[in-house]
Amino acid sequence: MEITILGIESSCDDTSAAVIRNTTLLSNVIASQAVHVKYGGVIPELASRAHQQNIIPVVDTALKEAGVKADKIDAIAFTRGPGLLGSLLVGTSFAKGLSIANNIPMVEVNHLQGHILSHFIDLPDRKMPHPDFPFLCLLVSGGHTQIVKVSSPLEMEIIGSTIDDAAGEAFDKCAKVMGLPYPGGPVIDRLAKEGDAKAFAFAKPHVKGEFDFSFSGLKTSFLYTLRDRVAEDPDFVEKNKADLCASLQKTIIDILLDKLIKATKALGIKDVAIAGGVSANSGLREAVAEAGRRRGWRTFIPELKFTTDNAAMIAISGYYRYQQGMISGLDVSPVARLEEIL
């Protein structure tokens, strides 16, 4: 039996809609919001307004590209959270309206689980490699850094998490103090390729949780290095930008891999995936692939188009939930924090 799902993603600053038939992606449309660049970060109110402007044309385009009419959709999967409350409200409200108008059931999706399940999306021209259950997923984004044990599409356990900043926050905050444009992560990744990763040494954390992360100490170490060196030479950052980026990126990757390797050893799991916006980082992708070759892992690294926020991952997650009859009522409301959705 074929199941067709419309996915809607509006958790932050990308408005996206996608159509999936079973696990095969038929369309995935994303409207990004350039308005935030000049502010050096996402402005929630501006994001909400942009979602309101974008959501109708984005959904309409996704349906047309898929060749599917709205009344032929089996379910509408939407991001309930976590994310920016105003942005989530736009997507949730639109899903409700479409549900009522066409008598289509709704399926709420955990945004982070969507990132993880993006590894199960197939493309029309080819089946993608999928991890076997159970597998470990290193989920790294601007707001979250976790190691998740995935036992099935509906059974996930967070075994490690950041106790302060997320990896993406560390990239963006350090980029900001260097005067790099927002978002800082991709800029650091580009400059790091030109620099010496051994040029500077930054602090690495020691936290109680065996698989937990911390990036606040690294951020502080980075800031103190800049403060002291700039006091001696006002042009220090400009002269050493590539080396600073390379050293910072390597430190973050080392922190991530150290805990991921510990988790694979402790649980005896050899299927390892990465997901989330920071999984687009070329240094991290290469490091995970190399660790896999050395340690006999089967590694799963997402295509770049599935690393950032997109509705395809919401649709695939909704597909698995719909299969199990996990239908949401019209009284469902979005939630900003992960703790509220677990």
Side-chain angles (χ1 to χ4, degrees), residues 126-144:
R126 67 188 188 277
K127 285 249 180 208
M128 303 296 287
H130 303 160
D132 291 333
F133 299 109
F135 68 93
L136 288 179
C137 185
L138 174 64
L139 177 60
V140 274
S141 69
H144 300 86

Side-chain angles (χ1 to χ4, degrees), residues 41 65 87 102 121 125 131 142 149 165 167 169 221 247-248 298:
E65 287 189 3
S87 295
N102 294 279
I121 297 170
D125 58 342
K149 179 184 176 184
D165 286 353
E169 284 180 288
S221 173
S247 300
L248 173 67
R298 285 206 314 155

Side-chain angles (χ1 to χ4, degrees), residues 154-199:
L154 301 178
E155 297 174 88
M156 302 185 192
E157 177 188 1
I158 299 170
I159 63 170
S161 185
T162 181
I163 63 172
D164 41 58
D165 286 353
E169 284 180 288
F171 275 122
D172 286 341
K173 289 177 180 178
C174 291
K176 190 170 185 177
V177 300
M178 285 191 287
L180 300 179
Y182 174 86
V187 182
I188 289 177
D189 188 20
R190 175 174 55 80
L191 290 172
K193 296 173 183 176
E194 306 167 8
D196 178 5
K198 297 180 180 179

